[in-house]
Amino acid sequence: MAVKKFMYVNRKAPYGTVYALESLEVVLIAAAFEQEVTLAFLDDGVYQIVRNQNPKLLGMKNFSSTYKALGDYDIKQLYVERESLIERGLTEDDLMDITYEDEGDDWAEKSSLTIVSRAEMAALMAAQDVMFSF
Amino acid sequence: MAVKKFMYVNRKAPYGTVYALESLEVVLIAAAFEQEVTLAFLDDGVYQIVRNQNPKLLGMKNFSSTYKALGDYDIKQLYVERESLIERGLTEDDLMDITYEDEGDDWAEKSSLTIVSRAEMAALMAAQDVMFSF
Amino acid sequence: MSMLHIVNKSPFERNALASCLSHASKGDAVLLIEDAVLGAVAGSQVAHLLLSALATQAIYVLSEDLAARGMEPNRLVKGLQVVDYSGFVDLTVQHDKNQSWL
Amino acid sequence: MSMLHIVNKSPFERNALASCLSHASKGDAVLLIEDAVLGAVAGSQVAHLLLSALATQAIYVLSEDLAARGMEPNRLVKGLQVVDYSGFVDLTVQHDKNQSWL
Amino acid sequence: MKYTLMVNEGPYQHQSSDTAYHFAKAALAKGHEIFRVFFYHDGVNNGSRLSVPPKDDRLVQKQWSDLAQQHGIDMVICIAAAQRRGLMDTAEAKRQGLDAHNIAPGFRISGLGQLIEGSIESDRTIVFGD
Amino acid sequence: MKYTLMVNEGPYQHQSSDTAYHFAKAALAKGHEIFRVFFYHDGVNNGSRLSVPPKDDRLVQKQWSDLAQQHGIDMVICIAAAQRRGLMDTAEAKRQGLDAHNIAPGFRISGLGQLIEGSIESDRTIVFGD
C-alpha cells in the first residue's frame, strides 16, 4: 500500500484544553506506521512549541519536552506559520529548539522547525492526503 | 433575605452546543425562587430567540417555544443587544414574539423583549447581583 | 486534487472561518456546517469574507443546520450553494481530501 | 459596587475579551485566566484593546497560567498587574460581583 | 466570604475544572467558605469514580472528592445533565433499572434548585466554563 | 468509498457527535462503507451505556449503538482518552479493580493505532469536533 501524507494541524493553545496533549499522543503512535508525517503550527497552535512552559503550579503535566523528542521518532517536518507568530507578539526565538539527527549528513543535528508564510502553509496543506485536526 | 438580581447572560448560538438549552432549564427553575430574573441576549446569544427554528431534521428538540412561555413563569425582562443583531445581518423582525400578560394593566399582552444598545446592556449588567453565563 | 474545507464554528465567535479562507487554495471547496452556517446570512459583518472567497472557491451551506437555526436559504450571501447531508457526502467524494477547521 | 470580569479564552481565537471590554463599566476590573493570558503579551494584535481599556479598568493576569504557557511577566502590556490564585480570590472579595465571559 | 462555584466542563478536555479547584483551594486557605460546588453541563463528568488517568498526571475527579471530604464541601451534580451524560448514583441506577453506578465519593446528585439556592445563600457565585 | 470518521466531542455538549452520526447515515444510504468510527477526547463519552436523556430528546449514545449493529460498523473508543474520563469495559474494569463498567453495545476499547490504521485503509478520513 502506498505511503500516505498525514498532516497534523495544530491551531489551539496548550493547557486551556487537552487537544494539544492528546494530539501529540496521536502523532507518537502515527510514527510507527511508516507514513509521511508533517506537523503544522498555526493560529494559537504556535503556543504549543513555545519555550519555558511550566504548568507545575497548575498540577498539570509539562508535555512540551515531548516535541523535542519527535526527532527520535523520525518526525522532523514541523512547520510554523510566521504570520501567526507576528499576530501574537512572538518571534522565532520564543520557540523551543526542536532538532533531529540527519542520517544522511553524518548524524549532524539539524532543526526540525521550518518557519513558513501563510501562503506556503496553504501550499503544504494542499499537498497532503489526510488532515488531522483536534 | 433580600431579593437578589440574577442575570442570565446568553452569548452562544443554539444547537451547535447545549449551553442555550441547559441555560434555559436553569432559568425555568430560577423562576420558582422569587428573585429578580433578567435575561440578556448578546453576541451569538441573539440566535437563541430567532423565529422559525426547526431542528427536526437534526433529530434535536425544538426548545425555542419555551422562550415564549417565560411570561407564564413571570419572567418578562429579556434584553437584546442591537449591535449584536446588526453585526449578524439580523433585525428585530427576525426575533420571536415573546410576551407576557400585564397584571397591572388589565392583563394586556405586552412584549417581554427590549432592544437595547451595547452601552445600555453594559449598564444593565452593572446593576445586577449575580451573573450566570453558560 | 482539491480539498474540501469543513467549518463548524460561528465566524462571529471564532477565527476558524477566517483562518480557513486564508489557507484555502484555488479550486478548493468550503462547507459551512453547525454554527458556521450563521455566517452565511447576507448583510452580516463577515459577508465580505465569503464574497471575496467566492472568486476562487465554491462555498456550500448545510441545509439541515440552516433550518435548525431558522435561516431561510433566500437570505444567504449570493453565490453560496445549499446542500443537505447527502450532498455533504457527495462533496467528500468529489474532493479527494478534506480538512476540518476545529 | 463594581464588577470583576473573568475572561478565559484566547483573544486570538474568540471574541470573549473584545465583548467583555465593550461591556465593562468604569471602575470594573478584568482578570485574564487560562488561555486568555496569551492576550496579555505586548506587541500582539490585541494589545491595543487592553491599552485603551486600561484608561477605565484595572486589568489583572493570573501568574500560574502565564507560567504554564512560558510567558514571563516582563513581556506583558505595560500597566497590567499579575496576581496568583490567592490574588484571584482577593479580587472576588474586593468586587461585590463578577461575571465570566465564556 | 461564602462562595458557590459552578463548573460547566468535564475533566481534562477543558481547564475550567482545574481552575475552579485551584480557586477553591486558595479561597479555603484564606479562611473563606466554599458553601457549594455545582457541576452542570459536561461538568457532571467530574463526578465519575471510574477515571484512571496516567500515573504522571493529576486525577481531577479525585482532587474534588478529596477536597470535599477534607473541608466538608457540598458538591452537587445536576441530575438532568447527569442523566443525559450517563452519571448515576446507586439510587438513580436502581430507579432506571441499570446495574452500574459511577459517582465518586463526596458528590451527590440533585436538582438545579441547588444552584439557585447556593447563589442566594452565598456572598459570591463564580462560574467556571468553556 | 470507504470512510473512517473521528468524533472528538461528547454527546449533547457539542453537536459534533450528531453531525458525524447524520453523515454516517447519509453515507450508508448512498452505498458507501463506514469502515470505522474512532472516538477520541471527550468523544469517548458517546460510548456510555448509562445515559438516560429526557424522553422527548434523542439518545445520542444509543443511536450509535444501533447504527453499528445494523451496519456492522467498527466503533472504537480510545483507551487512553477513556481512562482519563472514566469509560470502562468489563476487561478494563477488572484490570483496574473496579466493580462497574459502562460501555454500550457496539463499542470496543482499543488504542490510537486503530485511528491511523483506519485512515490508511480508508479512502476518506473526516474529523468531527469542537
Side-chain angles (χ1 to χ4, degrees):
Chain A
M1 187 167 293
V3 168
K4 285 188 180 179
K5 293 157 85 92
F6 282 75
M7 178 176 263
Y8 293 84
V9 179
N10 298 289
R11 294 184 53 249
K12 292 178 182 164
Y15 307 112
T17 54
V18 82
Y19 303 106
L21 166 63
E22 290 190 335
S23 165
L24 195 53
E25 292 183 354
V26 180
V27 170
L28 294 177
I29 299 293
F33 280 80
E34 311 207 333
Q35 307 289 308
E36 194 176 323
V37 173
T38 302
L39 273 64
F41 298 90
L42 62 152
D43 294 341
D44 281 351
V46 299
Y47 293 115
Q48 294 181 20
I49 50 172
V50 155
R51 286 179 197 277
N52 301 326
Q53 298 176 32
N54 183 7
K56 202 175 160 185
L57 291 170
L58 299 177
M60 294 167 86
K61 194 163 110 176
N62 186 348
F63 61 96
S64 64
S65 56
T66 308
Y67 295 99
K68 295 195 192 184
L70 288 175
D72 302 338
Y73 290 81
D74 209 30
I75 293 171
K76 46 200 182 192
Q77 298 187 76
L78 279 65
Y79 294 93
V80 185
E81 188 175 277
R82 183 177 295 112
E83 287 88 340
S84 296
L85 290 173
I86 294 170
E87 289 161 4
R88 287 159 183 78
L90 302 178
T91 70
E92 209 175 325
D93 292 340
D94 286 310
L95 306 180
M96 293 188 285
D97 297 316
I98 302 177
T99 59
Y100 70 101
E101 295 180 338
D102 189 348
E103 193 177 355
D105 188 9
D106 198 20
W107 305 99
E109 194 167 326
K110 298 185 176 176
S111 178
S112 304
L113 290 183
T114 309
I115 314 288
V116 296
S117 70
R118 188 157 285 163
E120 289 167 325
M121 184 62 85
L124 282 164
M125 288 176 169
Q128 306 299 318
D129 295 314
V130 179
M131 310 293 287
F132 275 118
S133 37
F134 300 91
Chain B
M1 184 167 294
V3 167
K4 284 188 180 178
K5 293 157 84 92
F6 282 74
M7 178 177 262
Y8 293 83
V9 179
N10 297 290
R11 293 183 54 249
K12 292 178 183 166
Y15 307 112
T17 55
V18 83
Y19 303 107
L21 166 62
E22 289 189 336
S23 165
L24 194 53
E25 292 183 354
V26 180
V27 170
L28 294 177
I29 300 291
F33 280 80
E34 310 206 335
Q35 307 289 309
E36 195 178 323
V37 173
T38 301
L39 273 64
F41 297 90
L42 61 152
D43 295 342
D44 282 350
V46 299
Y47 293 115
Q48 294 181 21
I49 49 172
V50 154
R51 286 179 196 278
N52 301 327
Q53 298 177 32
N54 181 7
K56 202 176 160 185
L57 291 171
L58 298 176
M60 293 168 87
K61 193 164 111 175
N62 186 348
F63 61 97
S64 64
S65 56
T66 309
Y67 295 99
K68 295 195 192 184
L70 288 175
D72 302 338
Y73 291 81
D74 209 30
I75 294 171
K76 46 201 182 192
Q77 298 187 75
L78 278 64
Y79 294 93
V80 185
E81 187 175 279
R82 182 175 297 112
E83 287 86 340
S84 295
L85 291 173
I86 294 169
E87 289 161 3
R88 286 159 184 77
L90 302 178
T91 71
E92 211 175 322
D93 293 339
D94 287 311
L95 305 180
M96 293 187 287
D97 297 316
I98 303 177
T99 60
Y100 71 100
E101 295 181 337
D102 188 350
E103 194 178 355
D105 188 9
D106 198 22
W107 305 99
E109 193 167 326
K110 297 185 176 176
S111 178
S112 304
L113 290 183
T114 309
I115 313 288
V116 296
S117 69
R118 188 158 284 162
E120 289 168 325
M121 183 63 84
L124 282 164
M125 288 176 170
Q128 306 299 318
D129 295 315
V130 179
M131 309 294 286
F132 275 118
S133 37
F134 299 92
Chain C
M1 293 290 289
S2 65
M3 193 174 301
L4 173 67
H5 299 270
I6 304 168
V7 181
N8 71 337
K9 293 287 160 281
S10 162
F12 306 104
E13 189 198 22
R14 306 215 206 180
N15 72 339
L17 177 64
S19 187
C20 166
L21 295 178
S22 68
H23 291 92
S25 296
K26 196 175 165 177
D28 283 356
V30 178
L31 171 64
L32 308 180
I33 65 170
E34 300 178 6
D35 287 346
V37 303
L38 299 167
V41 173
S44 89
Q45 64 179 10
V46 302
H48 70 281
L49 282 179
L50 297 176
L51 284 166
S52 52
L54 279 168
T56 44
Q57 282 105 26
I59 305 181
Y60 301 89
V61 189
L62 193 63
S63 60
E64 289 88 343
D65 279 320
L66 274 176
R69 291 156 182 85
M71 297 297 149
E72 299 286 332
N74 62 16
R75 296 191 60 171
L76 303 190
V77 169
K78 266 214 178 97
L80 301 195
Q81 298 168 64
V82 176
V83 294
D84 60 8
Y85 269 102
S86 177
F88 181 177
V89 173
D90 291 342
L91 286 169
T92 66
V93 173
Q94 289 154 23
H95 299 273
D96 62 341
K97 48 209 179 186
N98 66 80
Q99 172 169 202
S100 292
W101 290 81
L102 304 179
Chain D
M1 294 288 290
S2 65
M3 193 173 302
L4 173 67
H5 299 269
I6 304 169
V7 181
N8 71 338
K9 292 287 160 284
S10 162
F12 305 104
E13 188 198 22
R14 306 216 207 179
N15 71 339
L17 178 64
S19 186
C20 166
L21 295 178
S22 68
H23 291 91
S25 296
K26 196 175 165 177
D28 284 355
V30 178
L31 171 64
L32 308 180
I33 65 170
E34 301 179 5
D35 286 346
V37 303
L38 298 168
V41 172
S44 88
Q45 63 179 10
V46 301
H48 70 280
L49 283 178
L50 297 175
L51 284 166
S52 52
L54 279 168
T56 45
Q57 283 105 27
I59 304 181
Y60 302 88
V61 189
L62 192 63
S63 61
E64 289 88 342
D65 279 319
L66 274 176
R69 292 156 183 84
M71 296 297 149
E72 298 287 331
N74 63 15
R75 296 192 58 171
L76 303 191
V77 169
K78 264 213 178 101
L80 302 195
Q81 299 168 63
V82 176
V83 294
D84 60 9
Y85 268 103
S86 177
F88 181 176
V89 173
D90 291 342
L91 285 170
T92 66
V93 173
Q94 291 154 22
H95 299 274
D96 62 341
K97 47 209 179 187
N98 67 81
Q99 172 170 199
S100 292
W101 291 80
L102 304 179
Chain E
M1 291 253 144
K2 200 192 256 192
Y3 287 87
T4 285
L5 309 184
M6 183 181 192
V7 178
N8 288 340
E9 298 295 329
Y12 303 103
Q13 189 94 340
H14 295 86
Q15 199 189 336
S16 46
S17 177
D18 289 284
T19 303
Y21 170 77
H22 289 293
F23 181 89
K25 276 215 311 188
L28 291 164
K30 295 180 90 83
H32 298 298
E33 178 192 350
I34 305 293
F35 176 70
R36 184 167 289 156
V37 184
F38 191 86
F39 295 88
Y40 197 43
H41 303 300
D42 270 4
V44 299
N45 292 324
N46 287 290
S48 168
R49 67 184 176 88
L50 300 182
S51 169
V52 191
K55 297 250 185 308
D56 59 348
D57 202 354
R58 71 223 186 269
L59 212 174
V60 176
Q61 297 89 330
K62 189 166 182 306
Q63 285 179 342
W64 281 115
S65 284
D66 292 348
L67 195 74
Q69 293 184 322
Q70 281 160 28
H71 299 274
I73 301 170
D74 185 25
M75 300 206 305
V76 180
I77 291 178
C78 170
I79 184 159
Q83 285 177 335
R84 283 197 181 93
R85 292 163 178 87
L87 271 278
M88 292 268 153
D89 60 10
T90 40
E92 180 67 10
K94 201 170 164 189
R95 205 165 67 85
Q96 301 284 356
L98 288 161
D99 65 342
H101 57 93
N102 55 352
I103 297 292
F107 292 85
R108 68 184 175 96
I109 290 192
S110 189
L112 283 164
Q114 299 286 304
L115 170 65
I116 309 298
E117 192 215 55
S119 297
I120 294 172
E121 295 287 330
S122 299
D123 302 302
R124 299 286 186 270
T125 300
I126 308 183
V127 182
F128 297 89
D130 175 35
Chain F
M1 290 252 144
K2 200 191 255 194
Y3 287 87
T4 284
L5 309 183
M6 183 179 191
V7 178
N8 287 342
E9 298 294 329
Y12 304 105
Q13 190 93 341
H14 294 86
Q15 199 188 337
S16 46
S17 176
D18 290 284
T19 302
Y21 170 76
H22 289 294
F23 181 90
K25 275 217 309 188
L28 291 164
K30 295 181 90 84
H32 298 299
E33 178 192 351
I34 306 293
F35 176 70
R36 184 166 290 157
V37 184
F38 192 87
F39 295 88
Y40 197 42
H41 303 302
D42 270 3
V44 299
N45 291 325
N46 287 290
S48 168
R49 67 186 175 89
L50 299 182
S51 169
V52 191
K55 297 251 185 310
D56 59 348
D57 203 353
R58 72 222 186 270
L59 213 174
V60 176
Q61 298 88 331
K62 189 168 181 304
Q63 286 178 343
W64 281 116
S65 284
D66 292 348
L67 194 74
Q69 293 184 322
Q70 281 159 28
H71 297 275
I73 301 170
D74 185 25
M75 300 207 306
V76 180
I77 291 178
C78 170
I79 185 159
Q83 285 176 336
R84 283 196 181 94
R85 292 163 179 88
L87 271 278
M88 292 270 153
D89 61 11
T90 40
E92 180 68 10
K94 200 171 165 188
R95 205 166 67 86
Q96 302 284 356
L98 289 159
D99 65 343
H101 56 93
N102 55 354
I103 295 293
F107 292 85
R108 66 185 177 95
I109 290 190
S110 188
L112 282 165
Q114 300 287 305
L115 170 64
I116 309 298
E117 191 215 55
S119 296
I120 294 172
E121 294 288 330
S122 299
D123 301 302
R124 300 287 185 269
T125 300
I126 307 183
V127 182
F128 297 89
D130 176 35

